[in-house]
Amino acid sequence: MQEEKNSSQSKMPWILVLIVAVVGVYFLYTQILKKESESTEEMDRVTLQLKWIEQAQFMGFLVAKELGYYKGEGIDLEILPGGVGINPVDVLISGDADVAVAWTGNVLPAISQGEDLVNIGQGMQRSGMRLMALKESGIKELEDIFGKKIGTWPGGNELEPYAFIEMQGFDKDRDVTLVNQNFDMNQLLNKEIDLASAMIYNEYWLPIEAEYSEDDFVVFDMEQEGAGMLQDALFVQREYLQNNEELLVRFLRASIKGWEYAIENPKESVDLMGLDFTENDVTAKDHQIRMAQETAKLYIADDGATEGLFYINTDKLQQTIDIATQYIDEVEGIDIDKIYTLDIWERAISNE
Amino acid sequence: MRQVIKKYNKTLISISSLIFFFLAWELSLNIFEVSKTVLIKPSEILNTCITDYDILSKEMIYSAKEILPGWLIGNALGFLAALSIYRKDRIAKRLVNVSVLVNSIPLITLAAVLGGIVGTNQNQKILLVSLITFFPTFITTLSELTNIDEGHKDLLLSYNSSEKQILKKVLLPKSLPSILNSVKVTVTTAIFTAITAEFFGGYGGIGIFILSKKGLYNLKLVWAGIFFIALFGSLFYSTVQLLQKRLVRWQKS
């Protein structure tokens, strides 16, 4: 008995060595494989992290990939979809993605903590965020939100509702009840919450596509109420920007081309994206077509039409920073000149 | 003096290793440059724990109102259910098998479904916590009660004892240590369940607090929240441990 124990004990280090060796070989193998796949291709690899799942909100990127616009610029683009629990800013910081489609409001707290992230192109020129309530809830005016249950999406999407609440002179932690909202409108329709966050290109239409009409709701537009922050912008780490300027110019040029096509042909783009459509859901085809049309409106709004797609309007960026600095505790000391560059965009549209 | 040291030896070791751990954490962050969106110093966290004591404890109390009732209901029901059927030998043995199977399913995933049925309020978390803490206690109690020393039983039967007396004199004293051990384990399960369930949605609680502060890169409050959960967990666990020692004084640990 004693001997057996000893022999099994003496085997222990060998087993450990074996485990370490296997893990080590596997690690080396995957690293070599990765290098090889990188070197055998002549194309430059770029990884794009989307803000949310693959849907018409990102049709320009998806269409550009499908139509080979990125290949035409010598780019092998990998698109990483987002989802519940995936924060594109986290993915960008960790280095798992080269470029991220992120909300500026979501990026500002990370920049305040010392991250060096740069906006190279502004997709949506206006905020698509709404807060909506059923008319029967009795909410008519801004001051009616006092004491109400307000649904927000934690994970960096709550800055606009927070600013909106504070702008009415209310304390978001004391005067209202903030509720962790699911990514649908069921809590609003089941009257679990009084006000729900909704994107004009997505959740806003879910109840209307079901059985409600637009007249059933009171809607607060964050942009009109002065709480709007820029969304869906292209962000990169400064280090990546400095080492890959020319690559990013090509990436942006292909993206702009894709978006021009998608905005021109929203219905066709929805088919091109290669989604599996379902019924009665955000992935239903009708819903995606509506999303494509609403997204297009936000891309060509204001400077999107006059200056061109992905133009960065510094007044609006400054406004986003100002609202965030004033109303969000986690945002402070941001210098606008350090968080954007128009250089990439100018070179992309000049076709140099 | 030496005796005192000997008596508190274990506590001393654990306290000093804790201090060493936090010191190493603090100092290594001075040496290595780590992004503030990932990790911050324990001194900063401690500072936040103190300055933001009011919101943190408010959220922790909210979660505690899910954890404690759920834990109590789950354990009480598990114990009583086992007590009510342990004498039906065949059913009991089968139920143990089925329960072990059910217990191996990660029931926390039900949080996603339950949200649609009962809403994402506090009751949903209480329901989940009680469901998940029910099975370990039920299984342990039932298997302990159905497993009696035949010699003891025969002896008591020869004294013409009733089933009630056997339960009181033999079964319960024999089973209590194991049952209480299982109850102790469900403390951690209960905390884990409630906080994970909050990640699926809800109106408040420390889980949601951590989630939303994480999105805002407010790492101080995220870590302070984690500290509060750890503190609550240790307090809860030691209370149960103390109760266990009181209840089974005859057992040498």
Side-chain angles (χ1 to χ4, degrees):
Chain A
M1 191 67 201
Q2 191 62 36
E3 257 174 46
E4 233 173 64
K5 205 179 176 185
N6 276 343
S7 75
S8 76
Q9 259 177 354
S10 67
K11 272 180 194 159
M12 272 301 283
W14 286 109
I15 292 171
L16 269 176
V17 168
L18 196 71
I19 291 172
V20 170
V22 168
V23 171
V25 167
Y26 174 77
F27 182 73
L28 279 176
Y29 177 71
T30 49
Q31 285 300 311
I32 291 165
L33 214 68
K34 207 174 156 191
K35 283 259 168 64
E36 264 181 7
S37 72
E38 273 169 10
S39 58
T40 47
E41 282 165 21
E42 289 158 29
M43 297 220 252
D44 297 310
R45 276 188 75 96
V46 175
T47 312
L48 174 70
Q49 172 67 52
L50 300 181
K51 168 77 183 157
W52 194 236
I53 55 172
E54 290 184 337
Q55 56 178 4
Q57 182 186 354
F58 313 106
M59 56 181 177
F61 305 113
L62 297 165
V63 163
K65 188 182 177 186
E66 214 55 46
L67 295 178
Y69 293 169
Y70 291 110
K71 285 221 169 79
E73 294 284 351
I75 294 171
D76 178 20
L77 183 76
E78 187 190 355
I79 294 181
L80 302 176
V84 179
I86 297 175
N87 185 341
V89 185
D90 279 344
V91 181
L92 190 65
I93 291 171
S94 70
D96 288 338
D98 304 319
V99 188
V101 180
W103 288 6
T104 307
N106 194 179
V107 179
L108 294 180
I111 294 175
S112 302
Q113 294 293 334
E115 292 295 336
D116 206 351
L117 307 174
V118 187
N119 180 353
I120 58 164
Q122 181 63 48
M124 293 187 178
Q125 300 288 335
R126 272 186 203 175
S127 167
M129 176 76 89
R130 306 285 190 273
L131 278 175
M132 57 199 283
L134 278 165
K135 270 190 183 154
E136 56 187 272
S137 71
I139 295 174
K140 285 192 192 109
E141 305 291 329
L142 293 171
E143 57 261 32
D144 295 337
I145 67 167
F146 179 84
K148 292 291 192 290
K149 290 183 190 141
I150 302 178
T152 60
W153 296 309
N157 314 310
E158 64 275 63
L159 280 82
E160 284 167 272
Y162 281 8
F164 172 73
I165 295 162
E166 301 271 327
M167 273 177 181
Q168 316 313 323
F170 301 134
D171 183 325
K172 68 175 167 52
D173 294 318
R174 287 178 186 85
D175 297 336
V176 297
T177 307
L178 293 168
V179 180
N180 188 1
Q181 188 186 328
N182 297 332
F183 294 94
D184 57 39
M185 301 300 270
N186 292 342
Q187 286 151 297
L188 180 74
L189 302 178
N190 296 337
K191 302 184 177 63
E192 279 187 55
I193 53 178
D194 303 306
L195 274 156
S197 296
M199 304 312 296
I200 188 63
Y201 47 79
N202 193 0
E203 291 83 5
Y204 177 86
W205 297 100
L206 289 175
I208 292 154
E209 282 160 4
E211 59 197 284
Y212 291 83
S213 90
E214 285 193 83
D215 294 333
D216 292 332
F217 297 97
V218 179
V219 179
F220 299 110
D221 181 342
M222 293 301 105
E223 187 86 19
Q224 280 173 17
E225 304 302 339
M229 297 188 196
L230 289 171
Q231 300 167 344
D232 287 36
L234 294 170
F235 275 89
V236 294
Q237 296 216 50
R238 183 174 303 282
E239 202 188 334
Y240 185 83
L241 170 71
Q242 283 162 348
N243 296 328
N244 300 282
E245 275 192 30
E246 183 264 347
L247 175 59
L248 284 172
V249 170
R250 284 187 280 140
F251 165 78
L252 191 57
R253 191 182 295 141
S255 302
I256 291 173
K257 207 171 154 193
W259 274 100
E260 279 168 351
Y261 181 91
I263 289 165
E264 199 75 18
N265 315 289
K267 277 187 189 168
E268 205 193 325
S269 301
V270 169
D271 282 324
L272 267 177
M273 293 188 308
L275 297 179
D276 295 324
F277 296 116
T278 54
E279 275 174 46
N280 305 323
D281 198 0
V282 285
T283 45
K285 194 173 173 184
D286 292 344
H287 185 78
Q288 286 295 318
I289 290 173
R290 208 188 298 259
M291 185 186 290
Q293 289 158 345
E294 293 293 336
T295 301
K297 280 187 207 164
L298 291 172
Y299 267 77
I300 56 171
D302 308 328
D303 291 318
T306 52
E307 298 284 342
L309 296 175
F310 286 96
Y311 177 76
I312 301 168
N313 181 317
T314 47
D315 289 342
K316 284 198 168 176
L317 185 57
Q318 186 62 55
Q319 193 191 343
T320 299
I321 297 169
D322 290 344
I323 295 169
T325 311
Q326 188 175 352
Y327 297 107
I328 308 297
D329 296 340
E330 286 81 4
V331 178
E332 56 190 1
I334 290 184
D335 176 3
I336 185 172
D337 295 323
K338 289 188 178 149
I339 70 162
Y340 86 99
T341 173
L342 254 181
D343 186 43
I344 302 292
W345 180 82
E346 277 164 357
R347 284 165 64 185
I349 57 157
S350 66
N351 281 321
E352 72 174 58
Chain B
M1 184 60 197
R2 186 168 277 182
Q3 260 184 334
V4 173
I5 290 177
K6 216 172 187 183
K7 197 180 171 193
Y8 294 100
N9 208 352
K10 273 188 184 167
T11 343
L12 267 174
I13 290 174
S14 46
I15 288 176
S16 53
S17 56
L18 255 182
I19 290 174
F20 177 77
F21 171 71
F22 283 114
L23 265 179
W25 178 353
E26 179 93 21
L27 292 175
S28 60
L29 280 184
N30 274 331
I31 302 163
F32 304 107
E33 209 174 293
V34 179
S35 164
K36 278 198 166 181
T37 56
V38 180
L39 196 63
I40 53 172
K41 288 180 189 167
S43 56
E44 284 179 289
I45 301 168
L46 210 65
N47 198 20
T48 312
C49 280
I50 296 162
T51 51
D52 291 300
Y53 168 79
D54 52 338
I55 28 170
L56 282 159
S57 48
K58 186 186 127 201
E59 301 293 345
M60 192 64 242
I61 289 167
Y62 189 97
S63 293
K65 282 180 186 163
E66 299 162 353
I67 297 165
L68 293 172
W71 177 81
L72 273 174
I73 293 170
N75 276 298
L77 283 182
F79 182 74
L80 291 176
L83 208 59
S84 65
I85 57 156
Y86 81 97
R87 262 188 280 173
K88 297 181 178 84
D89 223 28
R90 276 194 191 160
I91 306 174
K93 289 234 162 85
R94 273 182 205 157
L95 262 178
V96 168
N97 289 337
V98 174
S99 304
V100 168
L101 205 70
V102 174
N103 196 35
S104 64
I105 305 169
L107 289 172
I108 182 69
T109 43
L110 283 178
V113 189
L114 275 177
I117 304 168
V118 295
T120 50
N121 46 27
Q122 262 175 324
N123 292 339
Q124 179 218 10
K125 276 83 180 176
I126 293 174
L127 187 66
L128 258 174
V129 173
S130 50
L131 193 70
I132 290 178
T133 51
F134 170 85
F135 285 102
T137 306
F138 178 68
I139 293 166
T140 319
T141 313
L142 199 54
S143 47
E144 281 290 328
L145 290 183
T146 48
N147 187 6
I148 183 172
D149 188 321
E150 289 299 326
H152 291 166
K153 197 178 171 184
D154 286 346
L155 180 67
L156 278 173
L157 284 177
S158 72
Y159 291 148
N160 196 20
S161 314
S162 67
E163 286 283 354
K164 246 188 193 166
Q165 281 169 317
I166 296 179
L167 179 72
K168 215 173 152 191
K169 299 284 181 198
V170 179
L171 277 177
L172 278 184
K174 153 194 147 2
S175 312
L176 219 50
S178 305
I179 295 171
L180 286 176
N181 265 333
S182 140
V183 166
K184 217 163 65 177
V185 173
T186 58
V187 167
T188 335
T189 322
I191 298 171
F192 165 82
T193 303
I195 287 162
T196 317
E198 281 173 7
F199 289 163
F200 285 90
Y203 299 90
I206 197 90
I208 287 178
F209 181 78
I210 287 175
L211 198 67
S212 60
K213 295 304 168 192
K214 169 80 184 63
L216 293 168
Y217 294 93
N218 195 331
L219 266 275
K220 282 181 195 169
L221 282 175
V222 171
W223 278 103
I226 295 171
F227 271 35
F228 262 66
I229 296 172
L231 191 71
F232 173 78
S234 331
L235 277 176
F236 190 4
Y237 191 85
S238 355
T239 316
V240 175
Q241 199 165 31
L242 218 76
L243 279 175
Q244 184 194 23
K245 275 186 185 154
R246 277 281 166 88
L247 274 171
V248 280
R249 282 202 184 139
W250 64 87
Q251 192 200 22
K252 280 181 193 165
S253 58

